[in-house]
Amino acid sequence: MSANIAKRIEEIAAMPIYRNRQEGLLTDLYQLTMMYGFYKSGRMEQHVVFDVFYRSNPCDNGYVICAGLEQVVVYLNQVAFQPDEIQYLRSLGLFDEGFLEELKNFRFTGTVYAIPEGSVVFPHEPLVRIEGRIFELQLIESAVLCFVNHQSLIATKATRIVQATSGGVIEDAHPTSEFGLRRAQNSDAAVFGARAAYIGGCSSTSNVTAGFNFAIPVSGTQAHSWIQSFDSEIEAFRAYVHAFPERAILLVDTYDVLHSGIPNAITVGNELRAQGYDLLGVRIDSGDLAYLSKAARKMLDAEGFGHTQIIASDDLDEDTIRDLMLQGAKLDGFGVGTALITAKGCPALGGVYKLAAEKRDGSWIPRIKVSENPLKVTNPGKKKVIRFYVDQKASADLIMLDEETIPQGEPVTLFDPIHTYKRKVIQDYTVKELLVPIFVDGEIVYEMPTIEQIRSFARLELATLSSETRRPKNPHVYHVDLSLPLWELKRDLVARRGHVN
Ligand SMILES: Nc1ncnc2c1ncn2[C@@H]1O[C@H](COP(=O)(O)OP(=O)(O)OP(=O)(O)O)[C@@H](O)[C@H]1O
Ligand SMILES: O=P(O)(O)OC[C@H]1O[C@H](OP(=O)(O)OP(=O)(O)O)[C@H](O)[C@@H]1O
Ligand SMILES: O=C(O)c1cccnc1
């Protein structure tokens, strides 16, 4: 492991959220019973390849932003069983001592390729490809899917919400703070969700644990209780700006936005101004946010508070935000909690982990899972994914067998794997291979990017998609095709119901 890679993984593993997480038991029982079966039948060393992929985009979106790889890397680097966990497994009465001994010594020794966090990805593409002993690869399925599915879902939801603030124009998006801690499905979902939301374009989080661990900017205003705890709204405002003269965003809807909140904010703003400060902002958390923001803007502007921002919150999601902007709401920023952290409307990303190949006598034998539904038939073999760019826009992706040569500029004919008569010739393109090495034989070979690098990358990635692919409803379906050799292999294996000979 190079010094840089080692230093970076040390930094990441030192984050409190990752410390002391060995997570051997973060698995489904059937993984352990299958592992026991492999152990009993002498097949633990069987080398296999598993792919992580999903079959359809969440929220009828046109893409997913993949996220969660950092958590996967830390997990694979640390996964182990503690003595009390071994004792618990012993108490189940399912496993013999030899097997428990194997678990005591468990370490991940496999090879992992993955698409970097922040990338835009599409259905059926291997997001993570893991190669190694079936004994290890079976254990890790559940945790790897949990991390990738969750963070990719929230990052994707965040891109929908953030793009809604500016009608899909990425560079004009308004700052959007993630407010979901209190509404998340418990704390890990809140903290890792805040990370994913930041990757997806949120500008900050109210979640201090997420800020502390992941170096995400934290921001906040006040609760209604703050205002209620004073004898009057103006006293509450004065006390807050006294504490934070430069960064006060005053909550103006506790009593009456236009007749009390905004006039009081203006009074306090003038007092602040006399001390040389500008009132940073106001937050409206109820009522008709379009009407109130327009009226508040006029009142603030009339008193010379043109720079004072108006922030909205109140059960917002991408649809309401888009609606508000269409109504001409005068909003400079948003706080979004429940709908973002719970991915309202699309509660799970259905990523799966499927066996793609098995090593026999030194060569890879492709494996397939057949289904009546052609979209559910897996892509066999050890694979890679390439993306064609034309005029810097992502034009199509191609899933290929790992041994195939990547095209280098010659025209390429792509065909739809289901409706094969649908063809497209790509020329004048550049090409990028999406899966990059992360672990080789259990050792990390990837220099993990910082959260800022991941977030900036996600933004660049989104910009490679057409606005038609990014639009929130009925987006263009991005082409993900199979190379001819992969398509033929799949067809032959389907015909033979997966039998190799
Ligand atoms: N102009 C608007 N267009 C569309 N939706 C809006 C508009 N203004 C507010 N909303 C949304 O309408 C919903 C209003 O919720 P609700 O009926 O609970 O009223 P409220 O103002 O939040 O009341 P409360 O005083 O209980 O907070 C919220 O989801 C809010 O984001
Ligand atoms: O609406 P969401 O998108 O879920 O965002 C989080 C919500 O949490 C707070 O309300 P809450 O009533 O919990 O507390 P408060 O008294 O501080 O307003 C805040 O005012 C937001 O409305
Ligand atoms: O800082 C805020 O305004 C905030 C934080 C969490 C939830 N709601 C609001």
Side-chain angles (χ1 to χ4, degrees):
M1 195 186 298
S2 84
N4 280 353
I5 291 173
K7 184 165 166 279
R8 183 75 189 116
I9 186 68
E10 225 172 82
E11 268 167 28
I12 291 170
M15 293 176 183
I17 193 97
Y18 290 135
R19 258 188 249 152
N20 299 322
R21 281 198 183 223
Q22 272 79 43
E23 299 186 305
L25 291 190
L26 191 63
T27 194
D28 294 298
L29 182 65
Y30 80 159
Q31 314 289 14
L32 288 161
T33 54
M34 284 186 279
M35 289 164 74
Y36 191 60
F38 290 130
Y39 155 82
K40 282 300 221 186
S41 51
R43 293 190 52 216
M44 289 166 67
E45 301 307 317
Q46 181 73 58
H47 268 235
V48 289
V49 172
F50 276 94
D51 292 330
V52 173
F53 64 94
Y54 68 93
R55 297 191 177 103
S56 59
N57 292 315
C59 297
D60 294 326
N61 208 44
Y63 61 85
V64 154
I65 291 287
C66 70
L69 180 61
E70 179 180 285
Q71 199 179 359
V72 169
V73 171
V74 173
Y75 162 77
L76 293 178
N77 203 36
Q78 299 184 165
V79 59
F81 293 85
Q82 302 306 307
D84 56 344
E85 296 173 333
I86 298 286
Q87 182 52 33
Y88 166 71
L89 292 176
R90 182 177 289 118
S91 77
L92 296 178
L94 292 169
F95 310 118
D96 71 18
E97 283 304 314
F99 177 74
L100 296 175
E101 199 55 35
E102 292 290 346
L103 295 188
K104 268 189 216 165
N105 299 323
F106 189 96
R107 291 288 176 275
F108 177 70
T109 64
T111 292
V112 178
Y113 278 64
I115 301 184
E117 286 192 280
S119 302
V120 290
V121 292
F122 302 97
H124 305 292
E125 299 181 338
L127 310 183
V128 188
R129 186 185 83 194
I130 310 181
E131 177 185 331
R133 298 163 72 221
I134 198 162
F135 187 74
E136 296 170 32
L137 268 55
Q138 206 63 68
L139 178 81
I140 65 178
E141 165 177 355
S142 314
V144 168
L145 288 179
C146 174
F147 305 151
V148 172
N149 280 329
H150 172 243
Q151 290 201 46
S152 301
L153 177 70
I154 305 299
T156 307
K157 184 72 171 176
T159 66
R160 289 173 63 81
I161 290 170
V162 170
Q163 289 181 90
T165 68
S166 58
V169 184
I170 299 168
E171 49 278 14
D172 293 345
H174 292 288
T176 301
S177 188
E178 185 281 311
F179 276 0
L181 171 57
R182 65 193 60 197
R183 306 277 149 66
Q185 274 93 352
N186 224 316
S187 52
D188 260 11
V191 177
F192 287 105
R195 175 182 188 273
Y198 189 63
I199 290 173
C202 281
S203 48
S204 61
T205 180
S206 64
N207 184 328
V208 182
T209 293
F212 173 53
N213 278 280
F214 301 121
I216 301 171
V218 286
S219 68
T221 70
Q222 309 103 54
H224 291 104
S225 60
W226 169 265
I227 313 290
Q228 292 166 274
S229 72
F230 288 82
D231 288 342
S232 67
E233 188 179 55
I234 198 154
E235 281 175 71
F237 287 179
R238 282 197 179 112
Y240 202 81
V241 300
H242 177 68
F244 298 104
E246 288 173 273
R247 41 173 310 164
I249 296 179
L250 301 173
L251 180 61
V252 290
D253 74 326
T254 307
Y255 304 117
D256 185 326
V257 174
L258 301 181
H259 296 103
S260 171
I262 295 292
N264 283 333
I266 288 171
T267 304
V268 171
N270 279 320
E271 292 166 7
L272 262 184
R273 195 167 270 167
Q275 299 164 43
Y277 300 109
D278 235 357
L279 177 62
L280 181 59
V282 296
R283 174 165 77 100
I284 310 176
D285 185 53
S286 58
D288 183 329
L289 297 170
Y291 169 77
L292 290 173
S293 65
K294 285 188 259 189
R297 181 77 275 155
K298 272 197 193 136
M299 292 166 73
L300 289 165
D301 288 354
E303 298 295 328
F305 290 96
H307 291 302
T308 298
Q309 301 163 17
I310 305 180
I311 310 299
S313 55
D314 184 15
D315 242 337
L316 296 175
D317 61 14
E318 61 270 49
D319 297 333
T320 314
I321 291 176
R322 184 167 309 99
D323 214 11
L324 289 171
M325 298 320 264
L326 285 173
Q327 294 167 54
K330 295 287 183 196
L331 293 168
D332 305 292
F334 298 86
V336 183
T338 315
L340 171 53
I341 210 70
T342 65
K344 183 182 150 199
C346 41
L349 174 65
V352 294
Y353 183 85
K354 297 290 173 194
L355 189 81
E358 200 173 14
K359 209 169 215 175
R360 287 277 171 88
D361 305 324
S363 7
W364 286 109
I365 308 294
R367 292 287 181 209
I368 196 164
K369 161 78 181 74
V370 179
S371 161
E372 289 305 312
N373 176 351
L375 289 173
K376 280 197 153 186
V377 179
T378 63
N379 290 320
K382 190 170 167 182
K383 300 174 291 291
K384 59 189 171 193
V385 191
I386 61 172
R387 179 161 298 162
F388 293 99
Y389 296 88
V390 176
D391 295 331
Q392 280 156 30
K393 289 282 177 199
S395 183
D397 288 5
L398 188 66
I399 308 177
M400 321 168 74
L401 292 170
D402 197 41
E403 62 269 20
E404 284 183 67
T405 310
I406 294 177
Q408 295 298 336
E410 64 281 12
V412 177
T413 302
L414 302 178
F415 61 95
D416 185 288
I418 307 281
H419 308 289
T420 51
Y421 59 89
K422 288 191 187 170
R423 281 165 191 258
K424 167 173 176 164
V425 177
I426 306 236
Q427 44 201 352
D428 300 324
Y429 57 81
T430 55
V431 71
K432 179 166 95 172
E433 190 168 352
L434 300 190
L435 288 161
V436 301
I438 310 291
F439 281 84
V440 173
D441 297 335
E443 187 165 301
I444 300 175
V445 294
Y446 180 60
E447 190 168 338
M448 311 268 281
T450 63
I451 189 100
E452 292 302 334
Q453 287 168 332
I454 297 169
R455 183 171 181 272
S456 307
F457 180 61
R459 194 183 146 117
L460 291 175
E461 283 281 288
L462 273 182
T464 66
L465 298 184
S466 66
S467 54
E468 291 80 11
T469 307
R470 283 190 289 110
R471 76 177 171 228
K473 282 212 166 68
N474 303 318
H476 276 198
V477 176
Y478 184 87
H479 290 284
V480 178
D481 295 332
L482 304 185
S483 68
L484 186 60
L486 174 56
W487 186 87
E488 287 175 343
L489 173 69
K490 187 172 182 175
R491 180 198 57 194
D492 294 350
L493 281 177
V494 170
R496 287 185 266 133
R497 311 308 282 176
H499 291 286
V500 182
N501 303 308

